[in-house]
């Protein structure tokens, strides 16, 4: 990581990389039309070309987003490519429903320790906001799992008239889960 790298451009500190336009939720506030998959899913060759360009441009770090980036079946290959090119994975923005011990172990094996920015829209209202039943408990468990692994968790909440009344209860949950960063937009 300390080796000098030369690029024909100024240093590019970081890239926020949308790996897919697809998502497994139906959020009422989605601006990407992710549930429809309208913007697709770049193929492996395209992603490998991006990795090559990141290396050539001397990109130091990448954060992953989507849609839902954890939907990528080739995620280990992508993270392996970042590691091979000495690019640090700093953050994964996710809805949290696909976080697993296997994912966390894979990150550890690649010596990557990203922060997880997990979407959670409120105690008792999360499922309604996300348009998918049964996700509130999955997301709370994902927050616990990531925190127990030693990785940093930030929770991102989209605020609107449907969930504003739940914010005091959600604040109590954030304290209970010991979430160090709570972002409200």
């Amino acid at each position: 990581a300390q080796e000098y790298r030369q690029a024909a451009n100024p240093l590019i500190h970081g890239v926020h990389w949308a790996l897919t336009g697809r998502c497994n939720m139906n959020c009422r506030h989605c601006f990407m039309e992710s549930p429809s998959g309208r913007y697709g899913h770049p193929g492996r060759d395209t992603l490998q070309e991006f990795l090559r360009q990141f290396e050539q441009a001397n990109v130091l770090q990448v954060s992953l987003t989507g849609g839902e980036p954890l939907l990528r079946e080739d995620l280990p290959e992508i993270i392996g490519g970042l590691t091979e090119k000495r690019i640090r994975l700093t953050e994964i923005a996710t809805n949290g429903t696909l976080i697993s011990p296997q994912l966390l172990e894979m990150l550890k094996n690649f010596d990557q320790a990203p922060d997880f920015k997990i979407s959670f829209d409120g105690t008792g209202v999360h499922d309604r906001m996300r348009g998918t039943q049964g996700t509130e408990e999955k997301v709370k468990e994902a927050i616990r799992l990531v925190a127990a692994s030693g990785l940093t968790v930030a929770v991102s909440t989209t605020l609107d008239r449907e969930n504003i009344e739940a914010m005091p209860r959600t604040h109590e949950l954030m304290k209970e889960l010991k979430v160090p960063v709570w972002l409200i937009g």
Side-chain angles (χ1 to χ4, degrees):
Q2 294 273 334
E3 288 179 32
Y4 287 104
R5 295 190 288 186
Q6 185 173 355
N9 57 276
L11 174 71
I12 298 176
H13 188 69
V15 170
H16 193 59
W17 191 11
L19 294 178
T20 182
R22 294 180 12 219
C23 187
N24 58 338
M25 303 284 257
N26 293 295
C27 303
R28 52 185 272 119
H29 51 279
C30 182
F31 60 89
M32 288 189 57
E33 299 185 48
S34 292
S36 71
R38 178 179 176 189
Y39 295 109
H41 198 72
R44 280 190 162 112
D45 291 344
T46 301
L47 293 179
Q48 291 302 316
E49 176 58 19
F50 280 133
L51 284 169
R52 187 189 66 72
Q53 289 181 26
F54 293 165
E55 181 181 38
Q56 281 187 328
N58 214 9
V59 171
L60 296 178
Q61 59 190 37
V62 168
S63 63
L64 302 179
T65 189
E68 173 51 55
L70 302 184
L71 281 174
R72 293 292 311 210
E73 292 176 6
D74 55 353
L75 190 62
E77 184 180 329
I78 293 165
I79 294 172
L82 290 170
T83 304
E84 177 184 305
K85 295 176 183 330
R86 299 185 339 251
I87 299 171
R88 184 169 163 252
L89 177 58
T90 57
E91 178 184 271
I92 298 175
T94 174
N95 62 41
T97 61
L98 301 174
I99 292 174
S100 67
Q102 295 80 13
L103 169 69
L104 300 174
E105 185 65 27
M106 182 259 301
L107 290 167
K108 182 180 175 184
N109 290 339
F110 282 120
D111 199 25
Q112 295 280 6
D115 296 343
F116 277 80
K117 187 189 308 179
I118 300 174
S119 300
F120 182 77
D121 291 325
T123 303
V125 296
H126 181 77
D127 289 358
R128 186 170 70 235
M129 290 288 292
R130 295 288 160 169
T132 308
Q133 290 302 311
T135 59
E136 183 169 330
E137 291 306 315
K138 283 182 186 176
V139 174
K140 288 192 273 188
E141 183 54 35
I143 293 168
R144 288 182 187 99
L145 187 63
V146 171
S149 78
L151 296 174
T152 301
V153 178
V155 170
S156 178
T157 299
T158 299
L159 186 64
D160 81 2
R161 67 178 172 260
E162 292 293 319
N163 66 349
I164 196 164
E165 298 296 323
M167 289 305 103
R169 292 187 315 274
T170 306
H171 180 243
E172 291 304 313
L173 177 65
M174 295 300 106
K175 291 191 299 187
E176 175 189 320
L177 294 174
K178 297 181 174 76
V179 171
V181 178
W182 185 24
L183 308 162
I184 300 175

